[in-house]
Amino acid sequence: MALLAEYSSQELLQAELQLWHQSLGFFKSAALAIALDLRIADAVHRLGGAATLPQILAEAGISPCRLRDMRRVMRVLTVSGIFIVQHPDEAAAAAAAESRHDAAVYKLTAASRLLVRDKSSTATGQLPHFLTVQLLLGPVRDSPVSMGMRKWFRQQGDQQQPGLSPFAMAYGGQTVWERAEHDAAAFRFNDAMAADTAFLMPIVLRECAEVFRGLTSLVDVAGGLGGAAATIAAAFPDLKCTVLDLPQVVAKAPSGTDVHYVAGDMFESIPPANAVFLKWILHDWRDDECVKILKNCKQAISPRDAGGKIIIIDMVVGSGPSDDIKHAETQVLYDLLIMNINGVERDEQEWKKIFFEAGFKDYKIIPVLGVRSVIELYP
């Protein structure tokens, strides 16, 4: 990559952070539009100005099945200062790890107080301030993505279609992958993923090539046309690299390369190898789906004492400098983007949960890729 000769890895990752942060600004407005549409501030106000998320959902009439997703919206709104969140102390969190998020208390700020619609919020005859915010949010609220998200949150149990995402609601029932296949010229999803691989993989090899050293074989799961595998193979000529992807993807794979291609489905089985590589894959899937993928990975790899491991490139929310608000905002805003396709950006505890459910014993997080990390997962 020519840019690596001109800039350091950290300069390039900081540049990526700047562009992502600005591009994802839409989702800061989308989170506010969701809160305004669902009257979250009103619910907190009626509950005395401070409440847990289960209490807020019950008060606002939101389906309990949206608890985790509403927590993600509130995370954006607390990072950006619209609400304040107070987490339980460490002792309480340790005693009830599963419910630690649900015990968090959300409080109104001056900003969220302006969103409250009850008559006591304004002087007699005065129009409420939320109308100004509603007007300013108009271009965002009227976009297909924002309308899909708000409709998705308003659904009740008897209206929900299993697996239907906000993205599908916005685009006539199509998944993101179906739209990428049927409308590739206008929606260049696959090209964008290939461009991301071309940008990131040289940085991965410069900053943490040691994760690949000593391996004899590697399967890049859902590796597309093999950009990542080809980069790894070029850096480690003795490493046999294989790409597993769906038949329609493998049919388009280039010939005459050092990469071997296998048509298959990661939810069914994965070819045996020393290690499995998952770049930017697991965040697309729900926890139960990730556990299924990882169990298949575990069956495919060597034992740990023979070098067997999973190499994951994904986001670990909360990793990075604690005082870098741009970094923190970008991670939680990207989480709202990925929520649109029923994906999840996970914090360390959420990763740990699915790792251990899949039968793995240990892991190591290497936070050297800006808002993303390398995770080594061991059987």
Side-chain angles (χ1 to χ4, degrees):
M1 182 181 178
L3 284 173
L4 277 176
E6 189 175 352
Y7 299 100
S8 70
S9 298
Q10 292 310 310
E11 285 174 323
L12 290 172
L13 292 168
Q14 190 62 32
E16 178 185 63
L17 173 63
Q18 175 67 34
L19 293 173
W20 282 20
H21 183 261
Q22 188 139 340
S23 300
L24 291 165
F26 168 92
F27 285 96
K28 188 184 288 190
S29 297
L32 183 56
I34 290 168
L36 191 58
D37 187 60
L38 299 177
R39 302 193 177 193
I40 300 300
D42 294 86
V44 177
H45 179 62
R46 290 194 299 270
L47 291 164
T52 65
L53 198 51
Q55 292 170 334
I56 295 169
L57 264 61
E59 182 66 25
I62 302 168
S63 173
C65 75
R66 296 290 181 234
L67 177 64
R68 183 179 185 180
D69 301 303
M70 197 66 223
R71 186 189 305 132
R72 296 157 74 184
V73 172
M74 294 299 287
R75 182 165 60 183
V76 169
L77 295 171
T78 54
V79 168
S80 57
I82 304 300
F83 292 88
I84 293 171
V85 62
Q86 181 180 331
H87 292 285
D89 61 49
E90 291 299 321
E98 287 296 318
S99 60
R100 75 190 196 286
H101 289 304
D102 298 344
V105 174
Y106 294 87
K107 299 180 178 180
L108 296 175
T109 64
S112 45
R113 189 67 178 80
L114 290 177
L115 302 179
V116 174
R117 304 186 187 197
D118 86 345
K119 294 179 180 179
S120 66
S121 301
T122 55
T124 303
Q126 180 184 341
L127 291 171
H129 191 76
F130 83 85
L131 292 172
T132 307
V133 179
Q134 199 170 60
L135 178 66
L136 295 174
L137 286 172
V140 170
R141 295 180 75 252
D142 295 339
S143 72
V145 169
S146 182
M147 287 191 290
M149 291 173 75
R150 286 165 23 234
K151 181 179 178 182
W152 188 71
F153 271 105
R154 285 197 301 267
Q155 282 187 318
Q156 295 303 310
D158 58 346
Q159 302 171 322
Q160 290 166 10
Q161 300 177 45
L164 188 67
S165 66
F167 184 95
M169 284 190 163
Y171 293 101
Q174 289 187 100
T175 67
V176 66
W177 295 281
E178 289 169 340
R179 189 174 179 221
E181 184 176 352
H182 300 147
D183 197 13
F187 184 60
R188 300 182 65 184
F189 178 86
N190 292 327
D191 288 344
M193 295 302 99
D196 178 71
T197 293
F199 169 82
L200 192 66
M201 287 309 298
I203 296 175
V204 171
L205 291 172
R206 174 189 273 186
E207 296 302 317
C208 49
E210 65 274 7
V211 302
F212 301 102
R213 287 199 178 98
L215 299 177
T216 57
S217 59
L218 177 141
V219 176
D220 182 2
V221 172
L225 300 183
T231 305
I232 296 166
F236 297 93
D238 295 330
L239 176 55
K240 179 185 175 183
C241 291
T242 299
V243 168
L244 172 75
D245 216 312
L246 297 171
Q248 63 267 32
V249 176
V250 170
K252 301 174 185 176
S255 58
T257 73
D258 293 331
V259 176
H260 179 59
Y261 293 85
V262 174
D265 185 339
M266 63 186 175
F267 288 103
E268 299 297 330
S269 66
I270 292 167
N274 204 202
V276 166
F277 184 58
L278 292 160
K279 176 193 172 288
W280 220 213
I281 301 300
L282 294 178
H283 74 159
D284 291 336
W285 303 97
R286 301 187 311 261
D287 288 1
D288 60 325
E289 294 167 323
C290 286
V291 169
K292 188 171 185 178
I293 295 167
L294 289 171
K295 283 182 176 179
N296 288 341
C297 290
K298 188 171 183 289
Q299 290 182 343
I301 61 173
S302 309
R304 183 172 182 176
D305 58 9
K309 62 182 175 181
I310 314 297
I311 303 166
I312 299 167
I313 293 179
D314 230 311
M315 196 174 286
V316 180
V317 176
S319 67
S322 58
D323 59 345
D324 189 340
I325 186 64
K326 187 181 293 184
H327 186 283
E329 278 195 348
T330 300
Q331 288 188 325
V332 299
L333 291 171
Y334 205 103
D335 182 45
L336 286 201
L337 168 67
I338 210 71
M339 186 175 76
N340 267 282
I341 62 170
N342 285 344
V344 185
E345 300 298 352
R346 298 171 172 89
D347 62 25
E348 182 174 355
Q349 291 304 311
E350 290 169 317
W351 279 117
K352 184 177 179 179
K353 181 176 181 290
I354 64 172
F355 291 162
F356 289 2
E357 281 185 20
F360 289 85
K361 304 298 184 185
D362 195 14
Y363 66 91
K364 178 170 69 174
I365 296 171
I366 311 170
V368 293
L369 300 179
V371 293
R372 289 179 277 189
S373 294
V374 175
I375 308 172
E376 288 188 291
L377 182 57
Y378 311 108

